[in-house]
Amino acid sequence: MTTNLTTGERVAWYRRRRGMSQEVLAGLVGRTVDWLSKAENNRLELDRLSVIKSLADALDVTLGDLLAEPTLMDWTPDSGTRTVPALRSALMNYRQLTPLLGVTTEGEPTPLDELRDNVAEVWDAYQESRYGFATRRLPLLLADVLIAAQAYEGQERDKAHELMAMTYQGAAMVLTKLGETDLAWIAADRGLAAAQQSGNAVVTGSLFRSVAHCLLSNGRFDAAVQLVGDASDYLRPGLSTAAPDFLSIYGTLFLAGSMAAARADDRSTTGAFLAEADRAARQLGRDANHVWTAFGPTNVAIHRVATSAELGDMQVAVDLGPQIDTSALPTERRTRHNLEVARALSAHNRVDDALAMVLEAERWAPEQVRSHYLARELVLSWVRNQRGRPSRAMADLANRLHVI
């Protein structure tokens, strides 16, 4: 049911399940009955998360319920046949909860240099949108970093906690992409605790970003804005002597905050956060990828497009989006930008151009496109609204996304 309905059709399904009339639901979200009827019948696109979140709140369901998240993760040669459930088991291992039981992990600790390479391998896979590979590797890597954090002493233990924090963050980022928002929150929370034990401000700042993304994916936009404000207060004293990795973490935190503010319909804060990120990017001086942030002027630019779309300024997104050269960015960033531009083009009834953007993104990152609600929603709405048979390219894409 979830993958074969548009967001509007899911709203109608949950509304009827709640025994609620269109008049009541429309009143709860401050809209007209005509608007809700059009949304439920795919004559009006629900393309802003702030609006979808208000409907989810009124229906007492999660944002993921209306977005059909999570979706089933496909088996691939990279993933094997043990995917999210294996990672869930690793995250819910009770041995990670408390030392009070006196349980210690068994096995020799992995050398820190080897562990660092393994963590980098997972993060590289995330940025290459190879979620199956990252999901397969993460359970074993989580076990390894836990053994290391218990076995090493002194500065080596601090390094082990840094690697543990980055492993949990990698898990949180991948799980967020897969729509597993509750599991992502567990991973981000554990990662932040490990980061604080490491005493490394850069790693701690990196985990703040991950927590912000988890709040975003759970529809807690105001809380994410507040977190970014609080975290920036914590990090700001380090700006005077900031190295490139610190600047990148600081700037990326504000990019996450700008998305949160846009989804909360807060234009002023969106602009302020983008301006702060832009200052950090200018100080950094170029596009880079310190601590896997892909931070720099280009990432700021693509967030200007994404926040414009979230605020409903689709013309701004249409005008700016295609002009941005993302070729030097990691695959994950390039793909996400293409989906944003496709959303804006679709809102202007330029479906052929939007389809071309999605198909290009799929060539770069098939796993990312197939797991993202925006790609599924766009393609399904195009198929639903076709007067005749959809084109072969559109129909084949819809089949690959499992939406028809």
Side-chain angles (χ1 to χ4, degrees), residues 111-126:
L112 290 177
D113 287 344
E114 181 181 340
L115 205 54
R116 187 174 291 106
D117 290 343
N118 293 341
V119 173
E121 185 181 42
V122 165
W123 270 94
D124 289 344
Y126 165 76

Side-chain angles (χ1 to χ4, degrees), residues 44-106:
L44 180 151
E45 288 189 13
L46 290 172
D47 53 11
R48 297 178 60 195
L49 284 179
S50 58
V51 175
I52 300 170
K53 179 62 167 59
S54 69
L55 289 163
D57 288 344
L59 292 166
D60 191 30
V61 297
T62 69
L63 182 62
D65 288 330
L66 294 188
L67 298 180
E69 289 189 330
T71 59
L72 181 66
M73 187 175 187
D74 289 338
W75 286 341
T76 67
D78 263 354
S79 72
T81 57
R82 299 197 68 213
T83 56
V84 173
L87 183 50
R88 177 182 288 110
S89 294
L91 289 170
M92 298 183 73
N93 183 348
Y94 75 92
R95 295 183 176 194
Q96 300 181 38
L97 297 179
T98 176
L100 295 178
L101 299 178
V103 177
T104 57
T105 54
E106 299 177 355

